Amino acid sequence: DTEVTQTPKHLVMGMTNKKSLKCEQHMGHRAMYWYKQKAKKPPELMFVYSYEKLSINESVPSRFSPECPNSSLLNLHLHALQPEDSALYLCASSWRGGSTDTQYFGPGTRLTVL
Amino acid sequence: AQSVTQPDIHITVSEGASLELRCNYSYGATPYLFWYVQSPGQGLQLLLKYFSGDTLVQGIKGFEAEFKRSQSSFNLRKPSVHWSDAAEYFCAVGKNTGNQFYFGTGTSLTVIP
């Protein structure tokens, strides 16, 4: 199984809502990532979890809150988002989390903030 | 400093024609190099990667890339493009010191019949 799954596929939320994005992998990878991608731009790294510990937080606003309940699951909790947070949110996983690891990406969640 | 550059923002090729997408990196040591493809609204799919050894790397979907240290390049090639190859292509570099992984700005490929 070389698949990273993400739910939901699409999400529309208001600025006062609380929602969560979910990511799952069963490849035995110990590193998981959240990226934000705006249209026609490369993915921007948000968070990296390595062995279920947050190892990188790229100065992401606190309205984004990651959680890694176990090595197969990664959540991104959203609260009080702004319209400029609308984007494609990609999850990825890799073997250990080093910068030379091959990262495997999920299909993404298309988030629209009204 | 930009670590990976994709000079071509957009390329249009005819179906059946050959394709070359350029990627240049800046790094003193040998980097780990990747090419990913992204279809509209989808995640990124790994096409191929180079870590060491043979400088010509074969990937999926008939793609190949050649690592040229003297030119700091890792260009992606395909001898005959199919309409389904229309997508965004990202080159990426992983540096084996620290925790740095960089995507290029991407090249958008249009394939015309």
Side-chain angles (χ1 to χ4, degrees), chain A residues 9 35 37 40-43 56 88 90 97-108 110, chain B residues 32 34 36 38 41-44 46 49 51 90 94-96 98-101 103-105 108:
Chain A
K9 198 171 173 62
Y35 285 88
Q37 186 181 27
K40 301 294 185 186
K41 297 290 186 185
I56 293 178
L88 182 68
L90 294 165
S99 58
T100 55
D101 269 6
T102 299
Q103 296 183 30
Y104 295 87
F105 285 81
R110 173 73 59 189
Chain B
Y32 286 53
F34 307 82
Y36 285 89
Q38 185 177 32
Q42 300 296 313
L44 279 72
L46 180 70
K49 59 189 177 186
F51 290 171
F90 292 100
K95 297 184 177 180
N96 53 17
N99 219 356
Q100 299 157 299
F101 188 88
F103 281 98
T105 49
S108 177

Side-chain angles (χ1 to χ4, degrees), chain A residues 4-9 11 19-26 32-34 67 69-70 72-78 89-92 106-109:
Chain A
V4 176
T5 59
Q6 290 187 245
T7 54
K9 198 171 173 62
L11 179 63
K19 297 284 184 184
S20 296
L21 309 184
K22 181 180 171 183
C23 173
E24 195 164 2
Q25 58 87 15
H26 295 287
M32 296 184 78
Y33 309 73
W34 279 116
E67 179 197 18
N70 60 58
S72 300
L73 278 176
L74 184 66
N75 298 319
L76 186 62
H77 303 297
L78 314 172
Y89 287 83
L90 294 165
C91 174
T109 293

